[in-house]
Amino acid sequence: MEMLNSADFWIGLVKIIWINIILSGDNAVVIALAARSLPPEQQKKAIMFGSGAAVVLRIVLTVVAAKLLELSFLQVVGGCLLLWIGYQLLTGDEDGEGESKGHGSMMTAIRTILIADLVMSLDNVIAVAATAQGNMVLLILGLAISIPLVIFGSTLMIKLMERFPVIVTLGAALIGWVGGETIVNDNLLHGYSMAHPWLHYAAAAAGAVLVVGLGKFMQARSARKEVAAA
C-alpha cells in the first residue's frame, strides 16, 4: 500500500470527490424525482440501490467512455432517452396495481435512476478518469465515497419537493436541458455545434421546454378526463 503514502494519491482522491460533488447535483435530482412517489421505506431502498448501482456503472463506463463518445448517434439516442425520462417523471406515469404496484414502482424507479445516470455520466466520467490518470484504486475509491453524497443530496431533494412542488417541474426541466445538451454534443453534430456555439444553449432550452410543455399538457389532459368522469 505504498501509494497511500503518496501525496499525489490523496490529492487525486480529493479532486475526484470534489468533481463528483459538483457533477452529482443533476443525478440527485433524477434520483429524487424517480423515488418521490414511493413510500418512505421504499424511497430509502430505491435511493441506496439506485445510487450504489449507478456508481458501479460509472466505474465500468469510465473504462470505455472515451471510445463510446466517438460513436455517432450514441448521444442522440441517450439524449432522447433523457427527454422521455424527464417527461415520465413529470407526469408520474406508473404501471401496476395493488401490492405489485409498490414493488414494480420501486424497480421502475431503480431502472430509471440507472438509465438516466448512465446517460448523464457519459461526459462526467471523462473528467473523473482524467483525474485518476489510470489509477483504478483511486477511481473506485473516489466514486465509492461519492455514494453517500448522492444519497444525502437525493434525500434532501425529496424533502424539498414535498414542501415546494415547483421543484418537480424544475427538476424535469433540468433533465430536459441535459437531454438537449447530450443530443447536440453527439460526435455527428460536434463540428456544426462548435461552429455555432448558440446551438448548445438552444438545444438545451428546447429540451427543457419540450419536457415541461408536453408534461404539463398531458397533466392538464388527464385532469380534464378525471373531471369529466366524476
Side-chain angles (χ1 to χ4, degrees), residues 36-97:
R36 79 184 195 281
S37 60
L38 299 175
E41 291 184 3
Q42 291 188 355
Q43 279 183 359
K44 293 177 182 177
K45 290 180 181 178
I47 290 172
M48 289 183 66
F49 288 133
S51 301
V55 169
V56 172
L57 275 178
R58 285 195 197 189
I59 294 171
V60 175
L61 183 63
T62 301
V63 180
V64 294
K67 292 295 181 184
L68 285 175
L69 289 174
E70 292 176 3
L71 298 176
S72 297
F73 292 110
L74 179 67
Q75 288 186 272
V76 171
V77 173
C80 290
L81 268 175
L82 282 181
L83 295 177
W84 174 246
I85 287 171
Y87 163 77
Q88 284 194 312
L89 292 177
L90 181 59
T91 56
D93 288 349
E94 294 179 353
D95 297 318
E97 296 180 358

Side-chain angles (χ1 to χ4, degrees), residues 128-181:
V128 175
T131 303
Q133 296 181 342
N135 189 327
M136 289 303 295
V137 174
L138 185 60
L139 176 65
I140 293 171
L141 272 176
L143 290 174
I145 292 172
S146 71
I147 294 177
L149 297 174
V150 176
I151 291 174
F152 173 78
S154 304
T155 305
L156 178 62
M157 285 303 303
I158 288 176
K159 291 179 180 178
L160 288 174
M161 286 174 183
E162 290 173 353
R163 188 168 183 179
F164 306 104
V166 69
I167 294 178
V168 174
T169 302
L170 295 175
L174 173 62
I175 297 172
W177 180 279
V178 176
E181 281 184 324

Side-chain angles (χ1 to χ4, degrees), residues 184-205:
V184 82
N185 284 338
D186 189 87
N187 187 50
L188 184 69
L189 303 172
H190 183 70
Y192 188 81
S193 61
M194 288 295 289
H196 303 82
W198 58 267
L199 184 62
H200 177 87
Y201 298 102

